[in-house]
Each structure stands twice: as structure tokens, then as C-alpha cells.
């Protein structure tokens, strides 16, 4: 896992290019994921109010932040890249964005939902280090607040050169137990369609393991 400063340099370089390889920039996709997440937590007791606040950790260009705003949250996006935050502010002026070190959060308010998808601090098989970083956000959850942590994996437990981490299902279960002061409600796999299933079968046929998105739902206790 690289240091925060090295990550900042890499992300600034990536987001300065016309082709963005590292963030979700399809508002239809981010909106569908946000809708399914909010539907899930509502079914499990969450009461969405006009003043409900949501924090998007590692928000990049802000597409997930905006998607949760459209679900009714007062939204805040955090990213270490000044370039990404500048783009996000221009793209989505009704959201709140700020530049900060996501590895060491220093926040002045609490949130009903903290969403962490593809955050670089989770790109490791050292679950203790990843949990230590993620646990730094628990104090910023309101009572009975929700913490949703997401990454991608092919479940193999192995990576090729420059590939992001592939947690096994066992690692996902072990990690969820390491987040202090929360109860692990569920781990969900969202966003599948027939076309994606068909594409997945084709990749399997040619020997390529496709990555899947997993979402760990945690509730503060």
C-alpha cells in the first residue's frame, strides 16, 4: 500500500488526463447503486430525513456523491486529489466537496451514512491495517448510522502485476468482523444485468477472472 502523498500524486496525474481509468463516471450506474443501497438500509430500519448527512470517502469526480444527493441526502465528498475535487465541484454544484487525507480523517460533523467504494486504503491483504484505517471513520457515524464499504475482487486471493487486491470471500467475512462498534448486517453483490452475466461467462470461457463489486453493510451499535 502506497503512502498518502504518493497516492495523491498518482491520482492528480490520472484526473488531469482526458481518459480517467480509476473512477466511476457513469451517473446512471452510480444512481442505480445508490438507489439499491438506500433501499436496503431503509428496509433495515434507516429513516431518511431532510437533514440526513452522507459522506463519500474517496469521492473522486463526485458521481457517487451526486447519486446519493439525488436519493435525498445532504452529501459531502472527500478526496485527497485537488484535481478531482476541482472537477467534482464544477460537475455537481449542489454537493459539498473538500480535499483531505482519507487515511487520517479529521471531520467536524457526524454522518448518517458513510460510503467508501474503491478507497485506496482498502487495497491490501493485510486486513488489520485496512481495518485500522476504516475504523477511524466509526467515530464520525451517528448513532445507528450506516457504514458501507465496497471494493472489487475476483475472489482468487491473488493479483497480477499492478492489479488491485482480490479478497477471497473468507477475507471479506474476516474484515467485516474487524470494524469496531458496528454490527455486520450483510454483504451484497450489486449491479448485475443479463449483459454483464453473459460477458462474465465469455471471460470465464477464455480464462479471465472478472472482478465483482461487493458491498459490506455495517451498522453502528
Amino acid at each position: 500500500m502506497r503512502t498518502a502523498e504518493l497516492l495523491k500524486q498518482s491520482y492528480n496525474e490520472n484526473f488531469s488526463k482526458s481518459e480517467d481509468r480509476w473512477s466511476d463516471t457513469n451517473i446512471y450506474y452510480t444512481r442505480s447503486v445508490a438507489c439499491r443501497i438506500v433501499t436496503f438500509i431503509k428496509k433495515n430500519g434507516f429513516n431518511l430525513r431532510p437533514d440526513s448527512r452522507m459522506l463519500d470517502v474517496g469521492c473522486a469526480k463526485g458521481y457517487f456523491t451526486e447519486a446519493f444527493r439525488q436519493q435525498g441526502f445532504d452529501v459531502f465528498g472527500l478526496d485527497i486529489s485537488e484535481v478531482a475535487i476541482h472537477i467534482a465541484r464544477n460537475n455537481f454544484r449542489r454537493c459539498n466537496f473538500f480535499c483531505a487525507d482519507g487515511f487520517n480523517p479529521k471531520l467536524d460533523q457526524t454522518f448518517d451514512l458513510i460510503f467508501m467504494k474503491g478507497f485506496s486504503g482498502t487495497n491490501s491483504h493485510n486486513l488489520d491495517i485496512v481495518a485500522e484505517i476504516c475504523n477511524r471513520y466509526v467515530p464520525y457515524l451517528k448513532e445507528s448510522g450506516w457504514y458501507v464499504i465496497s471494493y472489487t475482487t475476483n475472489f482468487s486471493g491473488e493479483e497480477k502485476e499492478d492489479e488491485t487486491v482480490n479478497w477471497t470471500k473468507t477475507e471479506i467475512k474476516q474484515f467485516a468482523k474487524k470494524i469496531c462498534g458496528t454490527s455486520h448486517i450483510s454483504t451484497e453483490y450489486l449491479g448485475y444485468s443479463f449483459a454483464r452475466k453473459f460477458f462474465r461467462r465469455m471471460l470465464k470461457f477464455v480464462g479471465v477472472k472478472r472482478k465483482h463489486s461487493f458491498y459490506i453493510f455495517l451498522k453502528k451499535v
Side-chain angles (χ1 to χ4, degrees), residues 122-214:
T122 58
N123 188 23
S124 172
H125 283 288
N126 190 325
L127 301 183
D128 289 332
I129 290 179
V130 176
E132 180 184 352
I133 294 169
C134 292
N135 275 323
R136 293 170 187 167
Y137 285 90
V138 175
Y140 300 109
L141 276 173
K142 291 184 181 180
E143 291 302 316
S144 300
W146 286 84
Y147 195 175
V148 180
I149 301 172
S150 173
Y151 214 74
T152 57
T153 182
N154 63 21
F155 306 110
S156 67
E158 300 176 348
E159 297 81 38
K160 297 179 181 178
E161 186 177 359
D162 295 328
E163 184 182 12
T164 55
V165 68
N166 289 311
W167 283 0
T168 64
K169 288 189 175 181
T170 298
E171 285 179 303
I172 294 171
K173 291 178 181 178
Q174 291 174 340
F175 168 76
K177 295 178 181 178
K178 293 178 179 289
I179 306 303
C180 301
T182 67
S183 175
H184 178 209
I185 305 301
S186 180
T187 297
E188 302 289 325
Y189 304 90
L190 306 180
Y192 292 104
S193 65
F194 174 80
R196 289 182 179 177
K197 288 180 180 177
F198 176 78
F199 184 54
R200 191 162 67 248
R201 293 192 194 106
M202 291 298 295
L203 290 177
K204 185 176 181 181
F205 178 77
V206 297
V208 176
K209 292 184 176 180
R210 181 182 181 275
K211 285 180 177 278
H212 309 270
S213 292
F214 63 86

Side-chain angles (χ1 to χ4, degrees), residues 27-37 67 71 190-191 196:
I27 192 61
Y28 300 103
Y29 168 69
T30 60
R31 186 187 295 154
S32 69
V33 171
C35 179
R36 295 181 70 172
I37 289 174
Q71 289 297 311
L190 306 180
R196 289 182 179 177

Side-chain angles (χ1 to χ4, degrees), residues 11 57-58 78 102-103 116-123 133 137 150-151:
Y11 280 118
V57 180
L78 173 162
F103 287 78
M116 181 186 286
K117 179 172 174 60
F119 180 60
S120 298
T122 58
N123 188 23
I133 294 169
Y137 285 90
S150 173
Y151 214 74

